Amino acid sequence: AQTVTQSQPEMSVQEAETVTLSCTYDTSESDYYLFWYKQPPSRQMILVIRQEAYKQQNATENRFSVNFQKAAKSFSLKISDSQLGDAAMYFCAYRINFGNEKLTFGTGTRLTIIP
Amino acid sequence: SAVISQKPSRDICQRGTSLTIQCQVDSQVTMMFWYRQQPGQSLTLIATANQGSEATYESGFVIDKFPISRPNLTFSTLTVSNMSPEDSSIYLCSAQGAVTYNEQFFGPGTRLTVL
């Protein structure tokens, strides 16, 4: 069974600084997707960034980028120029490419932005 | 992207009663899912709502407790039956579209409190 592990229950960063959230996963599949979702206090789940396993290039979305290490099964999220609005729970998630497209989530990291 | 609405947004219920949560998507989608998020926890998949057939339940969840309907490609309901305080959670609906195949969109969630 696939598992997703986030070893940092809480992180904090000064506003305008950079922070990296860690995620590791375990799977025997070769074709899959990885995601980072953000859940602010409003509890709306928002997709931050997506990475296809077959792509070697790391995904980027404005201030958000990932470091995808397929062999190490590692998928970290880097947030640059942190803003107060980035404060939220961040969940790493995994999904195989074909078949049942259900998401498997990690336990989450609560990110606090210090003004 | 798909916009998903849920009703009710929150409810307080008595032990032993049942609550039906509605999920409406603004476009036709291929897959719909129901997740549970217990206080301070990650998301756990309850079931995949299949259009025109019985839902597919994950281990630990049964149809008698969480009956699900999906009468068409844009609508699904989840019923939490014979509720106990342990059912107090946020219930989230998500959908994966035919066009946005690589992304799952989430509704705002229903916060359920059982007394």
Side-chain angles (χ1 to χ4, degrees):
Chain A
Q2 293 81 14
T3 58
V4 178
T5 301
Q6 294 179 250
S7 59
Q8 305 155 315
E10 296 184 355
M11 292 282 284
S12 60
V13 62
Q14 293 277 350
E15 194 175 1
E17 296 296 310
T18 296
V19 64
T20 298
L21 309 184
S22 300
C23 173
T24 58
Y25 59 96
D26 186 26
T27 183
S28 58
E29 302 288 338
S30 60
D31 193 5
Y32 52 87
Y33 289 92
L34 295 163
F35 305 86
W36 279 98
Y37 279 88
K38 168 185 176 181
Q39 187 179 42
S42 67
R43 74 173 182 257
Q44 176 73 55
M45 292 287 285
I46 302 166
L47 179 63
V48 175
I49 200 165
R50 177 187 71 235
Q51 175 78 45
E52 292 91 334
Y54 67 86
K55 288 187 176 179
Q56 292 186 333
Q57 187 173 5
N58 289 324
T60 62
E61 287 288 342
N62 301 312
R63 298 183 295 108
F64 299 87
S65 62
V66 299
N67 183 4
F68 174 48
Q69 302 289 329
K70 190 172 184 179
K73 296 181 181 175
S74 170
F75 182 60
S76 61
L77 174 70
K78 185 172 81 172
I79 306 174
S80 304
D81 184 25
S82 297
Q83 300 175 0
L84 294 177
D86 295 333
M89 283 291 288
Y90 286 81
F91 293 98
C92 179
Y94 162 98
R95 198 202 85 192
I96 61 172
N97 194 12
F98 295 104
N100 189 335
E101 289 87 357
K102 65 181 182 180
L103 289 171
T104 300
F105 285 90
T107 50
T109 298
R110 181 175 301 281
L111 178 64
T112 301
I113 310 297
I114 303 167
Chain B
S1 64
V3 176
I4 302 175
S5 59
Q6 285 185 232
K7 291 181 181 179
S9 60
R10 60 177 61 220
D11 208 340
I12 300 173
C13 301
Q14 296 296 320
R15 181 196 300 259
T17 63
S18 298
L19 176 71
T20 295
I21 303 168
Q22 298 180 4
C23 177
Q24 178 73 55
V25 190
D26 69 345
S27 59
Q28 292 188 348
V29 293
T30 54
M31 310 284 286
M32 293 183 74
F33 305 88
W34 287 97
Y35 291 85
R36 182 173 74 181
Q37 186 178 25
Q38 296 182 304
Q41 303 294 315
S42 185
L43 283 74
T44 300
L45 181 66
I46 297 172
T48 303
N50 302 307
Q51 195 266 329
S53 65
E54 210 168 84
T56 304
Y57 289 84
E58 297 299 302
S59 176
F61 298 95
V62 295
I63 187 171
D64 290 345
K65 176 67 176 176
F66 298 101
I68 288 171
S69 78
R70 188 176 172 193
N72 56 51
L73 292 175
T74 64
F75 185 79
S76 178
T77 66
L78 168 74
T79 299
V80 186
S81 303
N82 188 25
M83 288 184 284
S84 66
E86 291 71 34
D87 294 320
S88 297
S89 287
I90 296 171
Y91 292 86
L92 296 111
C93 170
S94 75
Q96 182 169 295
V99 175
T100 55
Y101 177 75
N102 298 329
E103 298 183 21
Q104 251 185 55
F105 300 95
F106 284 80
T110 296
R111 182 182 294 275
L112 171 63
T113 302
V114 185
L115 302 177

